[in-house]
Amino acid sequence: MEELQDFTEEKESNFDLKAEIFKYLAYWKWLLFGLLLGGLIAYLYNRYTIPQYSTQASLMVLKDNENNIASALPSGGGSILSIGDNSLDNQIITLKSKRLVEKVVDELNHNISYFIEGNVITIEAYKSSPVVIQFITPDSIVNRASKTFFVTPKSDTNFTLVDESQNYSKTHEIGEIIELDGLNFSIIPRSGANTSFKNTKTVQINIRPVDLVAGDYIAKLVIAPKGKAADILSLAIVQEESSKSEDFLNNLMYQFNADGVTDKRQVALSTTEFIQDRLELITSELDSVEGGMADFKRENQFMDVVSGAQEYNSKSTQAEQQVFEIETQLMIIRSIEDLLNKREEYQLLPASLGIQDGGISGLISTYNSLVLERNAYLRTSTPQNPVVATITAQLDSLKENLSDNIRSTVNSLNIQLGVLNKLDRSSQSKFSAFPGLEKGMRGIERQQQIKEELYLFLLQRREEAAIAFAVTSPVSKIIDPAFTMASPVDPKPWLILVGGFLIGLILPLLILFAKFMLDTKVHHKGDLAPLIKNIPFLGEVPKVAGENEEVIQLNDRSPLAESFRILRTNLAYLVKAKKENRGEIIFVTSTIKGEGKTFVSYNLARTLATTKKKVILIGADIRNPKLHRYVEATMETKGLSDYLYDLEINPRDIIASSEDREIQVDLILSGTIPPNPAELFMNDRMELLLKELAQSYDFVIVDTAPTMIVTDTLLISQLADTTLYVTRSGYTEKKLLEFPKELKQQGKLKGLAVILNDVDYSKFSYGAQYGYSYGYGYGYGVDKQSKIKRILKKPFEKSKG
């Protein structure tokens, strides 16, 4: 007698990278298809996507002290030409301002685009369109229009105009004035066109509102300091039409400089007008003082007194000089105060006229900057605009602040003037001996001197303002005019192509990965890893495909026959010599029906019989008998159920000899299906039958019922020496593998070993993990493989060796 060894060793991980790779390579056709499809899509994308190019330019923002003309002025010119902060951040905001960009778009007519329709894509024909649209309607209306026209030449003199939004389609002459949807325009051929008008393709003319086009440009425009330079800006824009981008950047830099020059000229002009008004008033006052001096001398016959006390004369002179300076400041400040109160709201004030108080000069400069900014916004908006309202509020607050500063400064100067006058009176009192006429004369001369100094000062400032207006220096300098990079920014052909191939390969892999992850069936030995850690694995049975015979024959060289020979060999290694002189009782069962236990039982019995052993096969699945499919017998043939029920029936009455003379296997069929199978197995007739058969046969193979569905097998499981547990590839659920493990742990099945049935080796070309590739390469029983499969296997075979 032999008994099954208790196999409880913990095995190593069954994961095999090669096996996993070959699992995916089984679907190589889909992988190749995805790879080629991804490459094709990437190629078509590169072929029919219009490339976009990066256009760049460099601009230097000039500082006021760097202007050669300004530095040549007597006072340096900075006070007149400076209009506020000149930082790069402010210049970037100005360059990207909607007002300035809209001016560029309007100047270049970039709100009107021409496209030539191709067979696949439509490309923009910037400066190369065969036709041009000329508007008679004012720009204020055109700049707000949104239209799309299609112009199709019919001959050299006429064309068809289509407006799909208005369902308009008519033929017109070249140069004819067309009135459509509130727009008056004409279509004419572009001058210098290489081809005749009638031979050109359909031209699509897009007209968009200027503010929308400007918004698109602002979104695309990138402006930033260039490197570590503190005064150079880098401008860049990415578009399909590089010439259009170059024109835009060049014109933007030009308009930026022109806008800055205009602002400077406005300040200079306002200052000139103010100085001219003051000169007229001072001239009149100077004439009056000089005439009064002549009359005073003539009436009083006044003579110049040279002598006098030097000490008192020096003090008086010093006080008079300070009084002169303070009165000059008071006159200028009061003039500015009068101008601030009398002039219309929000007008420019004269910049820096020599006021010694820095606060007033700073407030005037800030006030002028806000006035210029407000005027700039009012060009394209109304005073109700939130931005304009905000600036207006700032101007009102600044004006009030300026008035307060002027009043405070005037009060301070008056106090100083009072102190100096007191000092002057003290000195003059010492001259009591001098004639009173001399004192009056000094007052007249002082007034004359003040007026003369103020007159000369204003003359100098007027010349500076005139020069600044005539030759206002630029605010920026173009370092690099706009230029376009030779290579497109998008798409990157090789990157797109490689990406297309990779995506085309990865997507099928992801689909397969998801398929494998969602697959809950057992397919190969690796899926049995949780079960076979403590239970021996006997072997695999390949899938019987097509017209192949599912019953092995004598000297059969098919993969099926070879797999059962391996099962027979492995079974022999799992048993050892028994002390009892009887045959081996082998139960074949499964978890659920349909896993192939009857198929395995029948072919295993035939395989064992080829070794000249006496083998008998018992159909113990009396609820759902399947054994009769392999022999020519009916369901009514007496069998096991009849024996278990009828005590008069002997084992010899139900044993049927095999009709195959080459492979002798005796059979006991299931017999009539009884109403109470479990009760039949509970009597001792089954144990007596197996003991009697074990005395006459070398192997007693029992095809039992599934263990999970019915209790029949568990009732007689202790009668077995070995229990072969059949699982089926593509059929058995992985979660059901816990059931035989539990039966093993509970000791309900004796000598348990696992068989994997119906393995499809066409999906697993590598047998180290999942079983063995039957045929061994000896030239028999080996299926011919395609050339592609052999090529795919070759590198893995080399790595395996």
Side-chain angles (χ1 to χ4, degrees), residues 108-218:
L108 298 175
N109 290 325
H110 280 187
N111 58 317
I112 303 174
S113 303
Y114 301 89
F115 296 88
I116 296 180
E117 297 183 350
N119 296 328
V120 179
I121 58 176
T122 299
I123 60 174
E124 184 173 0
Y126 182 70
K127 293 185 179 180
S128 61
S129 170
V131 298
V132 176
I133 186 171
Q134 291 186 340
F135 284 97
I136 302 173
T137 305
D139 290 344
S140 59
I141 299 177
V142 176
N143 290 346
R144 297 195 301 270
S146 179
K147 300 292 294 182
T148 299
F149 299 133
F150 294 90
V151 177
T152 304
K154 294 296 183 182
S155 66
D156 286 335
T157 58
N158 57 54
F159 58 89
T160 299
L161 179 67
V162 177
D163 182 0
E164 294 179 350
S165 64
Q166 301 291 326
N167 293 325
Y168 181 90
S169 179
K170 288 185 179 180
T171 301
H172 297 276
E173 298 289 332
I174 291 177
E176 176 185 349
I177 297 178
I178 304 170
E179 183 176 354
L180 180 59
D181 197 17
L183 298 176
N184 295 330
F185 58 90
S186 61
I187 303 294
I188 61 173
R190 181 183 293 274
S191 59
N194 297 327
T195 59
S196 61
F197 180 71
K198 67 179 181 179
N199 293 330
T200 59
K201 295 182 179 180
T202 299
V203 178
Q204 176 182 337
I205 304 176
N206 289 345
I207 304 166
R208 299 178 60 201
V210 170
D211 58 342
L212 295 182
V213 177
D216 291 343
Y217 271 116
I218 292 173

Side-chain angles (χ1 to χ4, degrees), residues 580-726:
E580 301 179 10
N581 187 18
R582 65 176 179 85
E584 184 79 11
I585 301 175
I586 301 173
F587 279 16
V588 181
T589 187
S590 63
T591 305
I592 58 176
K593 69 175 183 178
E595 292 180 299
K597 56 182 180 55
T598 303
F599 167 76
V600 172
S601 300
Y602 187 72
N603 284 288
L604 180 60
R606 293 177 62 84
T607 303
L608 292 172
T610 58
T611 61
K612 305 304 180 180
K613 300 290 185 180
K614 293 187 65 177
V615 181
I616 186 170
L617 175 60
I618 302 175
D621 188 0
I622 59 178
R623 297 174 186 262
N624 185 27
K626 296 293 183 182
L627 191 56
H628 65 279
R629 293 189 303 129
Y630 298 97
V631 296
E632 295 181 0
T634 62
M635 294 286 292
E636 290 74 17
T637 304
K638 286 185 177 182
L640 179 63
S641 61
D642 300 290
Y643 169 79
L644 296 176
Y645 175 75
D646 191 351
L647 301 179
E648 300 297 328
I649 299 177
N650 295 317
R652 293 185 299 275
D653 298 333
I654 59 175
I655 295 176
S657 299
S658 173
E659 297 180 358
D660 190 343
R661 297 185 177 275
E662 295 180 343
I663 301 178
Q664 295 291 329
V665 176
D666 291 338
L667 302 174
I668 296 179
L669 299 180
S670 302
T672 306
I673 299 177
N676 56 344
E679 286 74 9
L680 292 179
F681 281 116
M682 292 176 66
N683 62 44
D684 57 358
R685 295 274 288 176
M686 186 65 182
E687 182 178 359
L688 294 175
L689 175 64
L690 292 177
K691 287 183 177 181
E692 183 175 346
L693 293 177
Q695 299 299 324
S696 305
Y697 293 89
D698 297 311
F699 292 96
V700 178
I701 299 177
V702 183
D703 177 23
T704 64
T707 56
M708 177 175 269
I709 298 177
V710 294
T711 188
D712 299 0
T713 302
L714 298 179
L715 293 174
I716 60 174
S717 62
Q718 299 304 315
L719 303 178
D721 298 316
T722 302
T723 303
L724 303 184
Y725 206 96
V726 179

